[in-house]
Amino acid sequence: MTQLPIVAAPRARVQAMKEYHPPLGSRDALRLDFNENTLECSPKVREALKQISAGSLTRYPEREPVEAIVAAHLSLKPEQVALTNGVDEAIHVLFEAFLDAGDELLLPVPTYTMYEVYASATDARVLTVQAGDDLEFPFERLLAAITPQTKVIAIANPNSPSGSAATRAQLLELAQRAPHAVLLVDEAYYHFHGETVMDLVGTVPNLIVARTFSKAYGLAGLRLGLLAGTQELMRWIRRVLSPYSVNSIALACLPSALKDTAYLDWYVSEVLAARTDFEAALDVARVRRWPSRANFILVDIGAKHAEFVRLMRASGVLVRDRSSDPGCDGRVRITIGTREQMKHAAVALNTTLAALRVGGDAQ
Ligand code: PMP
């Protein structure tokens, strides 16, 4: 008689997966490590939070009315929009719906880590295209990497950790050259970039756009994201998506977040002004940086990157070591907050560089 295993084993794919542990511990400092809003959400959202009754929490969340509001805000039809538990769930669901054995996920790298994490739970192959030293969007090489097996192309636009962006014409051509694939354009940092392909949803048949409320809106803790695409594509997405994955507190807050455009405009303009100031501080310190279209800047610290991150933390500023990202050895990503916060960050930067002597000649 064959011996039964003592505990059930997960799928081989899952056994091969790595656990992903973002460094979220002890963050009571200036949070320039996760590209969040570094302040707080809109006061209108705080008001909405106060209106939530204990009784309302006894009900399952109803997402459709809020999806209709979001769709109207984006000038889309409700059938073209699905709310998700952050863009992370959106990526997970999209890959579950489309990536099968024999399929390929095409990614420019470095890019957002979770694409590879969620793809590794599927039977598809991940094909990466390394950006050059300038970290610009590797458009021509991505086009050349399209195969009949390409099923999903995932483009963070702007990209993280580089901050570089693809143009609308490049994204359109990618979509046209891979009509058999879904082109995911992840516009998590859209508000800081100001350029979008959301208006092409519905006309470009294989385009899906993602947006998050975790960044400019300052709602990372609520977990709110969305996918927008043709009705046909979204129908498949909805088969995989849990009808309850966006909770009722998030749903209650979302309309107020959308309505308060004054808050959003203020926060974005504050960050853009702070980015310019901080770029100047980096240039004075002779730290190599990459041009950014988002609320963060990638900088080259060199061999002492880990010590740099540690010393910045000791000065009360959290930054993110991206050294293990492909082609990013020695590089650190610094989120941009308000002008006042970035003044403090610039002081910490200079103190840290002086301590490490990595400014100027070490670059
Ligand atoms: N996409 C990109 C490109 C990101 O950088 C992030 C956040 N780090 C996400 C998606 C995840 O967003 P959310 O908080 O909505 O899951």
Side-chain angles (χ1 to χ4, degrees):
M1 215 172 85
T2 48
Q3 196 77 39
L4 288 173
I6 309 221
V7 286
R11 291 187 293 121
R13 276 280 175 190
V14 175
Q15 290 183 44
M17 281 176 79
K18 285 179 265 182
E19 276 189 41
Y20 178 59
H21 289 290
L24 284 166
S26 319
R27 295 184 68 222
D28 283 335
L30 178 51
R31 296 173 288 109
L32 306 185
D33 50 350
F34 276 83
N35 301 342
E36 296 156 320
N37 177 311
T38 56
L39 227 46
E40 58 183 25
C41 65
S42 147
K44 299 239 162 46
V45 172
R46 287 174 68 122
E47 282 308 308
L49 275 171
K50 284 189 205 144
Q51 303 301 318
I52 295 167
S53 70
S56 71
L57 296 181
T58 62
R59 301 180 185 201
Y60 281 103
E62 192 191 353
R63 59 168 64 213
E64 282 82 5
V66 187
E67 270 172 356
I69 292 170
V70 174
H73 180 84
L74 298 171
S75 306
L76 296 172
K77 296 189 203 123
E79 303 77 40
Q80 295 174 315
V81 175
L83 289 174
T84 59
N85 190 274
V87 168
D88 277 2
E89 187 195 28
I91 298 163
H92 196 176
V93 164
L94 178 74
F95 288 6
E96 283 300 316
F98 285 93
L99 290 178
D100 219 337
D103 290 340
E104 289 172 0
L105 166 69
L106 182 56
L107 287 180
V109 291
T111 192
Y112 182 46
T113 315
M114 297 310 285
Y115 302 136
E116 286 210 54
V117 172
Y118 288 130
S120 71
T122 74
D123 291 319
R125 216 160 68 86
V126 180
L127 219 106
T128 60
V129 172
Q130 178 69 47
D133 182 62
D134 60 5
L135 296 182
E136 288 297 323
F137 184 58
F139 175 58
E140 295 296 339
R141 284 180 297 116
L142 265 176
L143 282 183
I146 294 169
T147 73
Q149 286 73 46
T150 307
K151 184 59 89 59
V152 177
I153 307 173
I155 309 291
N157 200 46
N159 196 10
S160 176
S162 62
S164 65
T167 65
R168 181 184 175 90
Q170 288 173 332
L171 294 171
L172 254 175
E173 189 165 346
L174 262 180
Q176 283 159 358
R177 296 273 289 270
H180 55 295
V182 170
L183 174 66
L184 169 68
V185 180
D186 178 350
E187 296 188 347
Y189 301 102
Y190 154 70
H191 298 93
F192 307 102
H193 181 39
E195 287 175 28
T196 181
V197 288
M198 191 63 93
D199 56 300
L200 299 175
V201 164
T203 53
V204 175
N206 55 339
L207 173 68
I208 292 190
V209 179
R211 289 267 181 96
T212 184
F213 291 85
S214 298
K215 309 295 178 185
Y217 286 100
L219 298 173
L222 278 187
R223 311 304 302 127
L224 263 174
L226 65 89
L227 285 177
T230 62
Q231 199 170 329
E232 291 72 16
L233 287 175
M234 297 315 290
R235 205 177 290 138
W236 299 123
I237 297 287
R238 267 184 251 275
R239 291 217 184 163
V240 183
L241 187 63
S242 158
Y244 309 123
S245 64
V246 179
N247 70 71
S248 52
I249 298 173
L251 291 172
C253 291
L254 205 160
S256 302
L258 282 181
K259 252 187 250 156
D260 197 355
T261 51
Y263 170 80
L264 194 70
D265 292 347
W266 171 79
Y267 186 74
V268 170
S269 61
E270 182 64 33
V271 167
L272 295 185
R275 193 176 71 194
T276 304
D277 290 352
F278 197 69
E279 282 168 352
L282 289 167
D283 293 348
V284 169
R286 293 171 62 205
V287 176
R288 184 181 177 199
R289 63 177 171 86
W290 280 262
S292 171
R293 306 289 314 181
N295 65 334
F296 54 83
I297 299 180
L298 190 70
V299 299
D300 188 12
I301 297 301
K304 294 182 181 172
H305 56 91
E307 218 179 329
F308 174 84
V309 172
R310 216 168 26 248
L311 287 178
M312 286 291 280
R313 176 184 272 271
S315 306
V317 182
L318 309 179
V319 295
R320 192 81 178 271
D321 199 335
R322 301 296 344 174
S323 252
S324 54
D325 286 15
C328 287
D329 193 27
R331 292 166 195 180
V332 171
R333 193 189 63 197
I334 304 176
T335 301
I336 305 298
T338 63
R339 278 173 289 186
E340 199 182 315
Q341 289 172 333
M342 297 318 289
K343 252 184 225 155
H344 176 55
V347 173
L349 172 87
N350 287 323
T351 313
T352 302
L353 290 177
L356 293 177
R357 292 207 203 97
V358 295
D361 53 10
Q363 299 308 305

